[in-house]
Amino acid sequence: GEQVEQRPPHLSVREGDSAVITCTYTDPNSYYFFWYKQEPGASLQLLMKVFSSTEINEGQGFTVLLNKKDKRLSLNLTAAHPGDSAAYFCGFMATGGNNKLTFGQGTVLSVIP
Amino acid sequence: AQTIHQWPVAEIKAVGSPLSLGCTIKGKSSPNLYWYWQATGGTLQQLFYSITVGQVESVVQLNLSASRPKDDQFILSTEKLLLSHSGFYLCAWSLGTSSAETLYFGSGTRLTVL
């Protein structure tokens, strides 16, 4: 099955700084990629879904980069604020499959005011 | 608009006791439905999925079972809880019209087994 490695497990940054979370994968097949945010005690909120053909994806206050050569997906928060403090999970889903979403191990981000 | 409701919000149960968690989707007919489990501080693991009433596929069992008695309802249960069942259980839905669909999650049930 697909192996997903998400780093770092914990990340602490100051308000206004950038934060980068990375996931690497092993299966070369085409995928959809997802980033979800989970605030403490809450459910998962979809941040972005990207397809394997799109390398740069802009969101509100963040960018998702896909490096297919290195099999790396990254979430870049450009100017973190305390409301960004949460757990972030990457997810991978093979096309043509049964919608099985495989998650990374998660990153707990703390933004210090 | 579609809504997903999970119940109960939280449960504290004894080892060996039975469990039933529920999930209802409103505003979408024939969705795909999923159960995910998250150990405290851990990642999310898919347990079951269902593409239609009466049909449930097991991904990882963990001594749990799932059923889909109605188009809009997904139930997770066991007759005998283990300590290892503690965690956060999330129900999710997707459109059910294609592959590689976005999953939308419910608010979850926090289960503590003592």
Side-chain angles (χ1 to χ4, degrees):
Chain A
E2 175 57 64
Q3 299 295 316
V4 179
E5 186 170 342
Q6 183 172 344
R7 289 285 182 267
H10 295 91
L11 180 60
S12 185
V13 300
R14 295 210 170 270
E15 186 173 3
D17 287 351
S18 62
V20 180
I21 303 169
T22 300
C23 287
T24 54
Y25 58 100
T26 56
D27 194 320
N29 291 329
S30 294
Y31 281 102
Y32 279 99
F33 304 87
F34 301 81
W35 281 104
Y36 283 87
K37 176 183 180 182
Q38 185 182 32
E39 294 181 355
S43 186
L44 278 81
Q45 171 195 351
L46 177 70
L47 287 179
M48 186 171 279
K49 175 185 180 181
V50 303
F51 188 51
S52 57
S53 60
T54 312
E55 292 187 342
I56 302 174
N57 304 268
E58 300 282 352
Q60 197 164 4
F62 63 90
T63 303
V64 172
L65 301 176
L66 176 60
N67 184 323
K68 287 163 62 178
K69 176 174 168 289
D70 295 341
K71 297 179 188 171
R72 189 169 60 239
L73 177 77
S74 65
L75 173 66
N76 300 258
L77 291 126
T78 44
H81 56 86
D84 292 329
S85 295
Y88 291 82
F89 293 90
C90 63
F92 298 81
M93 184 187 288
T95 56
N98 62 4
N99 295 318
K100 183 172 188 286
L101 182 56
T102 300
F103 284 98
Q105 294 83 358
T107 296
V108 177
L109 172 66
S110 300
V111 181
I112 305 162
Chain B
Q2 299 85 6
T3 58
I4 176 170
H5 174 59
Q6 279 189 249
W7 73 92
V9 172
E11 278 264 49
I12 300 175
K13 302 277 281 187
V15 170
S17 63
L19 174 77
S20 181
L21 304 181
C23 173
T24 299
I25 315 300
K26 295 299 181 190
K28 175 71 182 78
S29 62
S30 305
N32 286 354
L33 298 175
Y34 311 83
W35 278 112
Y36 275 80
W37 172 70
Q38 184 181 32
T40 303
T43 191
L44 297 109
Q45 191 170 18
Q46 189 182 70
L47 301 177
F48 300 94
Y49 72 92
S50 170
I51 60 173
T52 191
V53 174
Q55 260 190 29
V56 176
E57 299 294 329
S58 171
V59 179
V60 175
Q61 274 200 324
L62 298 182
N63 293 304
L64 297 166
S65 60
S67 64
R68 187 167 177 179
K70 296 192 242 181
D71 184 54
D72 64 351
Q73 198 173 75
F74 207 18
I75 306 295
L76 184 70
S77 61
T78 183
E79 292 188 3
K80 228 179 214 187
L81 277 166
L82 307 172
L83 283 174
S84 57
H85 285 137
S86 290
F88 195 41
Y89 289 84
L90 288 157
C91 179
W93 70 273
S94 67
L95 287 174
T97 55
S98 65
S99 64
E101 299 177 332
T102 298
L103 269 64
Y104 300 96
F105 288 85
S107 53
T109 295
R110 191 160 300 280
L111 173 66
T112 303
V113 182
L114 301 173

